[in-house]
Amino acid sequence: MNNNLGTSGDAGRVGGNGVFGDADGGLNQSGEVERPGEICRQFFGDAFGTMEYFAKMLEDEGEIRGLIGPRELPRLWTRHIVNSGQVAAYLPEGEFRLADVGSGAGFPGIVLAIMRPDVQVTLIEPMERRCEWLDECVTEMGLENVAIFNGRAEEALQPKGARKFHVVTARAVAHTKKLAPMVAPLLYIGGKMLALKGRRVDDEVIEARQILKKCRFSHVRIRKVPSPIVPNDPEETTRILEAVRR
């Protein structure tokens, strides 16, 4: 495992004592990379050092490799890392298997794997170049609880010995009408889908009502969670579609 995950080394590179203000006082309007403040440190607890290392990897290579756009770096923590981390509050306790569909840059799969080292996380990503990135992240951060599947969600259970999952996450992958049929076969009965969604999530659920029913999802809930960084900004509210496979 990489031994440079502590906060002191990274903080020395980005300034001061490592307690930055940008991500504690609203979105960074300067165009510079957003830095985590004390709220982020408290939110992630023991996982903060590794999370900061992940953020530095994204800062260095995310835009160059087409993983995140140039406008995303000034809101890297608020809009992406913390947003992904808020899913953790709805994960079961204890050990279980989690699949993240369309992992891309690592949201929310890498973030959740860092926060929950007791959970076996499978990152499902069809694009080879993104899988290469994810593999580098896993190796650099020594995430022993992560496996990577280079393929589509529909193919994830085809390899011999493949098992289903207790939780499947997704972020900005597809409309719920397409996402539900993609996720349902991956879940054990009683398993949970947790999908990070945008502002149209209420309309999406209405539009996908019959598909959700056909895919045998029940207890459908939309959880709207204020950002711990900017709790009064509705634009930064995290919206999680939760549904249970029956």
Side-chain angles (χ1 to χ4, degrees), residues 19 28 59 68 77 87 90 102 139 145 162 164 167 174 177 188:
V19 182
N28 178 1
E59 177 185 343
I68 55 175
W77 286 85
V87 175
Y90 304 99
T139 301
N145 61 324
K164 293 189 176 186
V167 176
K177 288 191 290 186
Y188 287 115

Side-chain angles (χ1 to χ4, degrees), residues 44-65:
F44 289 111
D46 292 342
F48 177 75
T50 310
M51 205 68 69
E52 195 173 31
Y53 191 91
F54 176 51
K56 188 65 170 63
M57 291 184 71
L58 285 165
E59 177 185 343
D60 290 344
E61 299 191 50
E63 183 182 349
I64 296 171
R65 297 172 70 159

Side-chain angles (χ1 to χ4, degrees), residues 85-107:
Q86 288 185 290
V87 175
Y90 304 99
L91 297 179
E93 296 181 0
E95 298 180 3
F96 61 90
R97 290 168 44 77
L98 180 150
D100 183 46
V101 173
S103 296
F107 304 123

Side-chain angles (χ1 to χ4, degrees), residues 115-235:
M115 296 178 75
R116 290 291 303 271
D118 59 323
V119 175
Q120 293 300 310
V121 177
T122 298
L123 307 177
I124 301 174
E125 172 54 53
M127 295 184 66
E128 186 174 356
R129 64 179 179 84
R130 290 180 178 171
C131 285
E132 290 174 358
W133 159 258
L134 294 169
D135 185 61
E136 289 175 24
C137 290
V138 169
T139 301
E140 282 280 320
M141 294 183 287
L143 301 178
E144 297 179 356
N145 61 324
V146 177
I148 300 168
F149 178 79
N150 183 193
R152 298 167 58 85
E154 297 88 339
E155 302 166 338
L157 296 181
Q158 291 179 4
K160 185 177 181 180
R163 293 185 294 160
K164 293 189 176 186
F165 301 90
H166 304 93
V167 176
V168 174
T169 59
R171 183 177 190 258
V173 170
H175 190 288
T176 304
K177 288 191 290 186
K178 293 184 178 180
L179 184 64
M182 197 184 304
V183 168
L186 298 175
L187 285 166
Y188 287 115
I189 301 300
K192 186 188 295 187
M193 172 174 69
L194 293 169
L196 283 159
K197 287 290 183 178
R199 286 175 289 180
R200 288 197 66 255
V201 61
D202 298 271
D203 294 333
E204 270 199 34
V205 170
I206 293 171
E207 294 164 7
R209 184 178 298 163
Q210 293 304 316
I211 297 293
L212 287 164
K213 184 177 181 180
K214 183 178 180 180
C215 292
R216 302 188 68 181
F217 280 111
S218 64
H219 299 87
V220 179
R221 299 181 62 177
I222 300 170
R223 298 188 180 272
K224 298 180 180 181
V225 190
S227 167
I229 297 171
V230 279
N232 296 321
D233 186 351
E235 290 294 314

